[in-house]
Amino acid sequence: MFVGTILNRSGQFFEVKNPYKVEVVGLASRDSHYDAEYAIKVAKTYDHRLSSTDRSKVLRNTAEELLKKKEDFALLATQETGICIKDTRNEVDRAYQNLVVASEEAKRIGGDCLPIVAGQTTKLAWTLREPVGLVCAITPFNRPLNQTVVKVAPAIAANNSVVLKPSEKAPLTALAFANLLIKNGLPESMLTVVTGYPHDIGEILLSHPLIDMVTFTGGVSTGERIVQQTGLKKLLLELGGNDPLIVLDDADLEKAAKIATEGAFVTSGQSCRGIKRIIVMKDIADQFVIRLVRETEGKKWGDPLDPETDVGTVIDEEAAINIENRCMDAVKDGAKILCGGERRGAAFSPTVLDYVQPTSTLVACETFGPVAPVIRVDNVSEAIEIANGTVYGLQAGVVTRDFENFLYIAKNLRVGGVGLMEGPNFDSPFIPFGGVKKSGIGREGIRYAIGEMTVTKTVVVPW
Ligand code: NAD
């Protein structure tokens, strides 16, 4: 059993359960309002004393040690989330990459130098990127390691201190990672971790005057609540997605089916940028769907610790029941389940639905589970209209050989990013990531997150 805590002053704990076997895998501190206040005050004492070289070294050393402990971290993430070990191993690799890039970027946070004329005199202005101060980072349950890294690593690179609040559904991996950072030389005041329930600690973390910035990843409704509580603080919001894969009638259908299943089922379909809707031209839909079903039936689901498993569980049984109900409702609206649709506790089998109506809740809202809903359309204009027809706008993918058509679609989609011959789940530490509409405000991606987590100071001198 893993007992994770950094502060735990209250002596109260809560249980973290494995969604597959429904057994306790560890305990985390059930922090109170006062514990959170203490964590904020401790983190505010950080005096920004680490040089860029020191910060870079801490991040790099942590990255290397994370890689050495890859199996331990993957196992812990799988145990607390039910996400299969194949995916959590990949997650450790992604976290490693993000840490390495953050350690490099820490050394090159610079500004501009601008000769100016003000009145009749010439002057020289230069800009500095200074740390925003104290950052509160709130993370979701899916990808409990990498979601922590993409917030904490750029915050450290930019010389901020952080109060981290991981999801109460999966706090253990984040705690283990925080311990790793401290073991590798991060001053304790630079990172405090608060765990527990939002109703105990949410309000103080969002509204405390010592917090300068809130970076939040989670659902849209939580994001909307957060905005109301933070007041005049800097905000970075990475919220839900309902990302489409658009398959045009000239597409390589084998390739399209592979992209579709990878994007729809990775991390048990619980990815903000996962494929949530597959928008397919009617002319090729029958041929595409045959391949999609074949690929889907090749996916093994169930025991997350089995190295052969492609799809583990979702976060808990309640979430799986919700997915099941949405599939049933889509069927009532006219959809057909072609494969899957089976639930065993928190595990839901990889499922393909065809003839899904764009108005069905399954696709009108974000469905966080291993479901590949196919929406058939007549032409490119209808595909764009449906792709844009929800409140979300995170990423999108297009499968076509026709570059002009791709450019037309890329231009007309209201999203934060779009890929050709890629699912919307494309990712790299080097590119910006974030949404438009209700999918969020601001950009992650290490260099861009550092930009968000710094403020510009301008110095002007006679020249
Ligand atoms: P959630 O919104 O329920 O919770 C996210 C975090 O917010 C958790 O740590 C939770 O404890 C905390 N929280 C909840 N209410 C709070 C409150 N009132 N005050 C302060 N904190 C509060 O989300 P989830 O279910 O953990 O994650 C799934 C959602 O996250 C999906 O919608 C998914 O799309 C989204 N997500 C988005 C991205 C992205 O980068 N855009 C990435 C991953 C997940």
Side-chain angles (χ1 to χ4, degrees), residues 176-199:
F177 175 68
N179 277 316
L180 200 69
L181 275 166
I182 301 226
K183 202 176 142 215
N184 279 283
L186 194 79
E188 289 193 22
S189 60
M190 208 169 168
L191 174 64
T192 57
V193 187
V194 182
T195 52
Y197 298 108
H199 55 86

Side-chain angles (χ1 to χ4, degrees), residues 5 12 43 62 80 99 106 167 195 211 225 255 282 294 318 331-332 348 373 390 392 395 419:
T5 177
Q12 306 267 317
T62 305
E80 68 173 345
L99 283 162
S167 168
T195 52
I211 301 250
R225 235 174 299 139
K255 178 97 184 145
K282 259 182 199 147
R294 197 192 304 136
E318 192 188 333
V331 169
K332 281 185 206 144
F348 194 73
T390 75
Y392 305 91
Q395 301 205 125

Side-chain angles (χ1 to χ4, degrees), residues 95-107:
Y96 171 80
Q97 290 295 337
N98 278 307
L99 283 162
V100 169
V101 174
S103 91
E104 287 304 312
E105 291 293 336
K107 293 182 280 191

Side-chain angles (χ1 to χ4, degrees), residues 284-301:
I284 45 107
D286 287 343
Q287 289 308 308
F288 170 73
V289 161
I290 289 169
R291 290 163 174 81
L292 180 63
V293 169
R294 197 192 304 136
E295 284 290 326
T296 303
E297 286 177 338
K299 299 276 173 199
K300 187 170 175 190
W301 68 289

